[in-house]
Amino acid sequence: MSGLFSLGLIASWYSSNIGVLLLNKYLLSNYGFKYPIFLTLCHMMACSLFSYIAISWLKIVPLQTMRSKSQFLKISALGIIFCSSVVAGNISLRYLPVSFNQAIGATTPFFTAVFAYLITLRREGWLTYVSLVPVVAGCVIASGGEPSFNLFGFLMCIGATAARALKTVVQGILLSSEGERLHSMNLLMYMAPVAVAVLVPAAYFMEGDAVGITISLARDDKKFIFYLIFNSSLAYLVNLTNFLVTKHTSALTLQVLGNAKGAVAVVISILIFRNPVSVTGIFGYSITVAGVVLYNEAKKRSRND
């Protein structure tokens, strides 16, 4: 029974992670809903609401309260980095195919190592740095061989990847003391409303007609509201299944699933969106994924030594 439960969780993790990515691409690129900031705002509103329900009502984890103004400011900083990363990723999906988006996203370990060194001066073992060479080289090769390359989309995707890595490093520093450490689900419950507070004025000033267009699209196509609500719910489900998979299996399982997720998302997106791919692009992405696997192994060894 526990084996079936774990398989169900893993299937949910894959479905939510890949589903939200493909639906974001469909809405922003194919459907023609050109409002990535407003779409991210919908995601963060769903995360705020569902996090509150899951913790306060369903009690999936104990509620942790904020203990100081300093802790609130730290969580707010994380919330801003978090929503910047999601917005930049969604903007990039308007201009880039999912396959190329995932190839760039796979370089997260490179940015994590760079930020860890710049901010904490923490050095990794030489093997860890060597493993980052194929991670970056593969991305460069994939960029050179990408038929649908768009510079603005590429820069947005790099920004999203860097912000994701920065959040990981900053989170490790800001919430390192025992008194301030928050459970991942509690952290999301506090970060998401901060993101909403940042995104409401951003969407208003930068995408002023987003609400009007959303209402008009909903009137013309009843399915649109379903897409939007389902997409926003999936955004929360990604975080929930991340937590559940780690809890019922292990962090290592999540890492292995993450390595494979990008490749699965690439194959499914090519089948659905029929975007052109080149042999060079596939070769570059394969090198990056191999580098990520090597990086994870090197990190594991350095922890064991």
Side-chain angles (χ1 to χ4, degrees):
M1 185 65 191
S2 63
L4 276 175
F5 179 68
S6 296
L7 277 176
L9 277 181
I10 289 167
S12 303
W13 184 86
Y14 265 109
S15 306
S16 56
N17 271 273
I18 295 172
V20 78
L21 185 67
L22 298 180
L23 203 45
N24 282 349
K25 175 64 180 172
Y26 174 72
L27 286 170
L28 292 166
S29 204
N30 298 54
Y31 195 90
F33 184 72
K34 297 175 170 58
Y35 303 102
I37 298 174
F38 182 75
L39 184 66
T40 309
L41 173 60
C42 293
H43 289 183
M44 294 303 162
M45 284 164 70
C47 286
S48 303
L49 174 67
F50 291 136
S51 292
Y52 180 77
I53 292 169
I55 294 173
S56 297
W57 295 0
L58 303 176
K59 304 200 183 310
I60 62 160
V61 293
L63 173 67
Q64 292 171 289
T65 53
M66 274 197 251
R67 299 182 179 191
S68 62
K69 185 183 174 186
S70 139
Q71 190 184 18
F72 169 72
L73 291 172
K74 289 173 180 180
I75 289 167
S76 298
L78 283 175
I80 292 165
I81 299 169
F82 174 52
C83 83
S84 305
S85 138
V86 180
V87 167
N90 284 340
I91 292 172
S92 78
L93 282 172
R94 270 195 67 196
Y95 301 94
L96 299 178
V98 171
S99 48
F100 188 41
N101 174 282
Q102 289 297 287
I104 300 166
T107 61
T108 304
F110 167 75
F111 290 102
T112 306
V114 169
F115 286 129
Y117 178 70
L118 291 177
I119 297 170
T120 67
L121 296 178
R122 193 185 74 221
R123 290 192 177 188
E124 302 287 354
W126 66 271
L127 202 60
T128 307
Y129 289 122
V130 168
S131 70
L132 290 171
V133 174
V135 170
V136 177
C139 183
V140 171
I141 293 166
S143 303
E146 176 51 51
S148 312
F149 184 84
N150 175 287
L151 182 61
F152 180 68
F154 173 75
L155 292 174
M156 281 290 117
C157 200
I158 288 283
T161 307
R164 203 160 48 236
L166 179 63
K167 177 187 164 281
T168 304
V169 174
V170 171
Q171 187 174 323
I173 300 162
L174 294 187
L175 304 177
S176 58
S177 72
E178 201 57 51
E180 291 190 329
R181 195 171 294 140
L182 285 177
H183 189 281
S184 63
M185 299 311 287
N186 276 279
L187 184 60
L188 179 68
M189 186 178 75
Y190 290 124
M191 277 196 314
V194 171
V196 169
V198 171
L199 291 169
V200 165
Y204 178 76
F205 289 111
M206 296 167 79
E207 300 176 342
D209 53 347
V211 176
I213 296 289
T214 303
I215 293 166
S216 146
L217 282 170
R219 281 203 197 108
D220 297 340
D221 181 4
K222 295 288 183 283
K223 290 200 295 287
F224 176 71
I225 277 295
F226 168 75
Y227 290 148
L228 206 54
I229 293 170
F230 183 59
N231 182 242
S232 302
S233 304
L234 276 180
Y236 173 70
L237 208 57
V238 166
N239 292 283
L240 181 64
T241 52
N242 268 354
F243 156 64
L244 290 173
V245 167
T246 308
K247 183 184 174 186
H248 291 282
T249 55
S250 68
L252 182 62
T253 304
L254 194 65
Q255 210 173 62
V256 172
L257 291 175
N259 290 342
K261 182 206 81 177
V264 175
V266 166
V267 172
I268 294 173
S269 74
I270 291 167
L271 292 173
I272 293 173
F273 299 115
R274 308 273 177 194
N275 58 283
V277 285
S278 65
V279 175
T280 312
I282 293 168
F283 176 64
Y285 180 55
S286 304
I287 290 174
T288 295
V289 171
V292 172
V293 173
L294 286 173
Y295 171 81
N296 289 334
E297 279 300 311
K299 287 281 284 180
K300 203 162 67 183
R301 261 190 212 181
S302 67
R303 273 197 296 268
N304 293 337
D305 287 347

